[in-house]
Amino acid sequence: MASINAAEVNSPLMPGRATLAWAFVERQTNLWKRYWAWELVWLVYGVVNTLAITFIAEQAGQQGIASEADVRYLVLFLLIGTLVWAYLSAVLDDISLVVTWERWEGTIEHTLMAPVQRAVHLIGMSLFGVMHATVRTLLIFAIAVPFFSVDLGQSDWFAAALVLVIGSFPIAGLAILAGVLPLLYPERGAQMSFMVQAIVLLVSGVYYEVDVLPPWLQIFSYVSPATYILDGMRGAIIGGEGVTEIWRELLALAVFGIVLIPGGMMVFAVAERWAKKTGKLKRQG
């Protein structure tokens, strides 16, 4: 764990805060090492889920439902959808369940009552979530891709990486907002945060184009950052589109990030004050 003294904690200088935020990354990394068996479970689940869904495209080709070209497109469409969702769901889990983890470890009172700016705490948790999700998704990608015949020669990987980097900000903001639920509802808040994930999965076009949704559901796809991440990633990887061609998706994600990150932290701060006032900062179980 990084060594931090009181002067650094209270200093307005960024290096001290950055060190403190990194301390939360190190703490979560140590927790990840302790529960490595759970990580193995989620890795296997991610691989199986990716294979099971992408094989649907292969079946369409074998039964003559789609042409060879359509099957190649559908394989990439589903493969990108499942991998992006593996990344997004891992980020949402790691950040939105921060309060649940603190209750589970019995450290919630210590963490939330410590003289640490909540923004620094949440930035550290968000950074760990992005790093953790990146490693897990790359492992799923490396294991799953050899099962299919895919041509990635036309892909613009720089544009795809830029979509993922910029898109991580609004997803982190959304996760911080969802993290308010376990804070307000100690017994069922974690399940309620999963409900947020389920809605994002439904409306964002993970496994299908959002055009197939009923018109009233398509409205929600416009306010889901995941929709723009998926459109940008598919444009860059399947269509070989560069930054100049997916600028609308990048701009939308940047705007979502500017709104959701500070908005999520403000809502979390208000909920934290209410939880402290009403005695919600207690360990369950």
Side-chain angles (χ1 to χ4, degrees):
M1 183 72 72
S3 176
I4 304 163
N5 56 44
E8 287 178 319
V9 171
N10 296 320
S11 172
L13 300 177
M14 288 303 294
R17 295 178 181 176
T19 304
L20 188 54
W22 187 253
F24 284 103
V25 175
E26 291 189 7
R27 188 191 67 165
Q28 289 305 110
T29 303
N30 290 328
L31 285 174
W32 174 79
K33 291 177 181 176
R34 184 195 300 177
Y35 298 110
W36 63 269
W38 273 111
E39 184 59 33
L40 183 61
V41 169
W42 286 114
L43 177 62
V44 171
Y45 174 83
V47 171
V48 171
N49 184 62
T50 299
L51 294 177
I53 292 174
T54 310
F55 273 129
I56 294 174
E58 296 286 359
Q59 183 183 17
Q62 290 182 1
Q63 295 184 347
I65 299 174
S67 66
E68 186 177 345
D70 289 338
V71 170
R72 287 199 298 269
Y73 172 81
L74 189 56
V75 165
L76 274 177
F77 184 92
L78 292 175
L79 191 60
I80 293 170
T82 53
L83 289 170
V84 169
W85 182 247
Y87 174 81
L88 298 182
S89 59
V91 173
L92 288 166
D93 279 348
D94 282 337
I95 303 173
S96 66
L97 298 182
V98 56
V99 171
T100 303
W101 273 92
E102 297 287 355
R103 283 202 175 96
W104 191 2
E105 290 293 314
T107 56
I108 185 169
E109 296 97 338
H110 305 289
T111 301
L112 297 191
M113 297 302 288
V116 178
Q117 290 183 342
R118 192 59 52 225
V120 173
H121 175 204
L122 293 174
I123 288 172
M125 297 298 295
S126 299
L127 185 57
F128 170 81
V130 169
M131 295 167 62
H132 175 217
T134 300
V135 172
R136 184 194 290 175
T137 306
L138 287 176
L139 286 173
I140 295 172
F141 175 80
I143 297 172
V145 163
F147 283 84
F148 307 99
S149 177
V150 294
D151 181 10
L152 301 174
Q154 77 288 348
S155 303
D156 189 322
W157 292 106
F158 175 75
L162 198 59
V163 170
L164 205 59
V165 170
I166 297 177
S168 295
F169 286 92
I171 293 301
L174 183 63
I176 292 171
L177 277 174
V180 170
L181 295 171
L183 191 61
L184 299 180
Y185 305 99
E187 295 181 355
R188 297 182 179 83
Q191 290 81 357
M192 295 168 74
S193 68
F194 288 131
M195 184 180 65
V196 174
Q197 285 193 39
I199 294 172
V200 173
L201 173 65
L202 174 66
V203 304
S204 303
V206 175
Y207 304 128
Y208 42 76
E209 300 280 2
V210 295
D211 295 340
V212 304
L213 295 171
W216 66 272
L217 263 182
Q218 291 184 31
I219 296 173
F220 294 97
S221 71
Y222 293 116
V223 295
S224 169
T227 301
Y228 303 93
I229 294 175
L230 286 159
D231 286 348
M233 292 292 285
R234 284 174 174 140
I237 295 176
I238 299 177
E241 296 175 352
V243 175
T244 56
E245 294 165 292
I246 59 171
W247 67 270
R248 293 181 181 81
E249 286 80 4
L250 294 172
L251 178 62
L253 291 170
V255 172
F256 272 117
I258 292 171
V259 173
L260 286 174
I261 289 285
M265 289 188 177
M266 288 174 61
V267 172
F268 195 97
V270 172
E272 181 184 344
R273 286 196 294 272
W274 184 83
K276 289 176 179 176
K277 185 177 180 181
T278 55
K280 298 289 185 181
L281 300 185
K282 59 182 180 180
R283 183 180 181 182
Q284 300 293 311

